[in-house]
Amino acid sequence: VLYKESVGTGTPTPVTPEMERVKRNQEICSSVLYKENIGKATPTPVTPEMERVKRNQEIISSVLYKENVGKVTPTPITPEMERVKRNQEIISSVLYKENVGQATPTPVTPEMERVRRNQEQISSVAYREGLGKATPSPITPEMERVKRNQEQISSVLYKEHMAKGTPTPLTPEMERAKRNQENISSVLYSDSFRKQVQGKAAYVLDTPEMRRVRETQKHISTVKYHEDFEKSKGSFTPVVTDPITERVKKNMQDFSDISYRGIQRRVVEMERKRVDQDQENLTG
C-alpha cells in the first residue's frame, strides 16, 4: 500500500505479443544460464525403494502437521472487519509520513560527480578482480535476437522516462565554434593522413580474378560508350549565329574552295606569266 501511494500516475501500455515473446525468451535465457552454472553431476536412477521412502516421508509430514494444528472456529470476514482493516492501513501510512522530518536538498556539485564516477570505476575494477574463471558459451542467433529486442525495449522505456527539454537557439557564436571544431578536426585528420598514408603506395596482388573483373569493366565501358554514341548520333546542338560567326564561316568556306579547286595554284602561274611578259617587253 505504501509503495503504491508513492507511485505517481502513469500511462498503461498494453501487453503486445512481441512483449510476451521477449518475456518468454528472457525466461528461456535465464534457464539456460542457470543450467550452465550447474556443475556436472552423476545421475542416479529412481528405484522402487526410493519411491517408497518418498511416499512415506510425505505421509509422515502430513500427519505431523495435522497433529500440531489445534481445533479452531472459522469466522466470516464481515464488512466491519474490512473497514477496520482499511482504517489500520490508512493510520499506518499517516504515522509513517509524520515520522519523516524535513530535509534540506543539496545541489550536485562537479566534485560530487567526480567522486561518484571514481566510485563506479573502483567498484567495476573490484568486481572484475573478484570474478573467477568462466566457461565461454557461444552466442546463438536466438540470443542475438533477444539482445536486440531488449535494446529496443530499453530504448522505448528510456524515451518514456525522458522529461521535456528546453530548446536553445543556435547563436552565431555557437555556429562559429562549431565551424572551428570542424576545421581543427580536418587539420588533425590531414596531419595524420600525411604522416601515415601520403607517399606510400598500396600494393595489391594481380590475381586472375582481378584481371577478369578489369576486362569485364572495359567491356562494360565500351558497350556504354557505343550505346551513348548511338543515342546521340544524328542529333545536333543549336548555336546562336552572329555576324562574327558568319564572317568566320564565309572565310573558312573561301579557303576550302581555294584549296579544293586549285585556284591558288592557277593564280601563282598567272602571276609568273605576267612577270615573264613584263621582262620580255623590257628587253624587246
Side-chain angles (χ1 to χ4, degrees):
V1 174
L2 296 176
Y3 172 73
K4 292 181 180 179
E5 287 179 355
S6 61
V7 176
T9 58
T11 304
T13 57
V15 180
T16 61
E18 180 67 18
M19 293 177 68
E20 288 287 342
R21 185 176 61 78
V22 172
K23 184 178 178 181
R24 286 196 301 273
N25 291 336
Q26 282 295 318
E27 293 175 354
I28 294 170
C29 291
S30 299
S31 176
V32 171
L33 295 175
Y34 173 74
K35 291 179 181 179
E36 287 179 355
N37 293 328
I38 296 176
K40 295 181 179 180
T42 304
T44 57
V46 180
T47 60
E49 181 66 21
M50 294 175 68
E51 289 286 343
R52 184 181 63 79
V53 172
K54 184 178 179 182
R55 283 196 301 273
N56 291 336
Q57 286 292 328
E58 292 175 355
I59 294 169
I60 293 170
S61 299
S62 177
V63 170
L64 292 175
Y65 174 76
K66 292 180 180 179
E67 287 180 353
N68 293 327
V69 176
K71 294 180 180 181
V72 296
T73 303
T75 58
I77 298 176
T78 60
E80 182 66 18
M81 293 176 67
E82 288 287 341
R83 185 180 63 80
V84 172
K85 184 178 178 181
R86 285 197 299 273
N87 290 337
Q88 286 294 325
E89 292 175 354
I90 294 170
I91 292 170
S92 298
S93 175
V94 172
L95 293 176
Y96 172 76
K97 292 181 179 179
E98 287 179 353
N99 292 329
V100 177
Q102 296 179 353
T104 303
T106 57
V108 180
T109 61
E111 182 66 18
M112 294 174 67
E113 287 287 341
R114 185 180 63 79
V115 171
R116 189 171 69 182
R117 285 197 300 271
N118 291 338
Q119 286 295 324
E120 291 175 357
Q121 294 173 0
I122 293 171
S123 299
S124 176
V125 172
Y127 171 75
R128 292 179 182 176
E129 289 179 352
L131 288 174
K133 294 182 179 180
T135 304
S137 58
I139 298 175
T140 61
E142 180 68 16
M143 294 175 69
E144 287 287 342
R145 186 176 62 79
V146 171
K147 184 178 178 181
R148 286 196 300 271
N149 292 337
Q150 283 295 319
E151 291 176 354
Q152 293 172 0
I153 294 171
S154 299
S155 177
V156 172
L157 294 176
Y158 172 74
K159 292 179 181 178
E160 288 179 356
H161 293 306
M162 288 180 67
K164 294 182 179 179
T166 304
T168 58
L170 289 176
T171 60
E173 182 65 20
M174 294 174 67
E175 289 288 340
R176 185 181 63 78
K178 183 178 178 181
R179 285 196 300 272
N180 289 339
Q181 285 295 323
E182 292 175 354
N183 294 334
I184 293 171
S185 300
S186 177
V187 170
L188 294 176
Y189 174 76
S190 300
D191 291 341
S192 177
F193 174 78
R194 282 194 295 270
K195 291 178 181 178
Q196 299 180 8
V197 180
Q198 190 175 13
K200 297 180 180 179
Y203 298 97
V204 293
L205 297 177
D206 191 9
T207 60
E209 182 66 19
M210 293 184 67
R211 286 196 293 271
R212 184 182 64 78
V213 172
R214 188 165 59 244
E215 291 294 330
T216 304
Q217 287 294 326
K218 289 180 181 178
H219 294 325
I220 293 172
S221 300
T222 305
V223 171
K224 182 68 176 174
Y225 172 75
H226 284 290
E227 183 180 354
D228 295 338
F229 175 75
E230 292 294 334
K231 287 181 180 179
S232 62
K233 186 169 66 174
S235 61
F236 61 91
T237 304
V239 295
V240 180
T241 303
D242 54 352
I244 297 176
T245 306
E246 288 290 339
R247 183 174 60 79
V248 172
K249 184 178 178 181
K250 188 175 182 302
N251 291 336
M252 292 300 294
Q253 190 172 358
D254 293 340
F255 291 147
S256 298
D257 290 341
I258 291 171
S259 299
Y260 177 73
R261 296 175 184 177
I263 296 175
Q264 181 70 24
R265 186 172 60 254
R266 287 198 297 272
V267 169
V268 172
E269 291 178 355
M270 291 173 66
E271 183 69 22
R272 188 172 61 254
K273 289 180 181 180
R274 187 179 63 79
V275 172
D276 292 340
Q277 287 180 357
D278 291 340
Q279 289 292 335
E280 291 177 356
N281 292 329
L282 291 174
T283 54

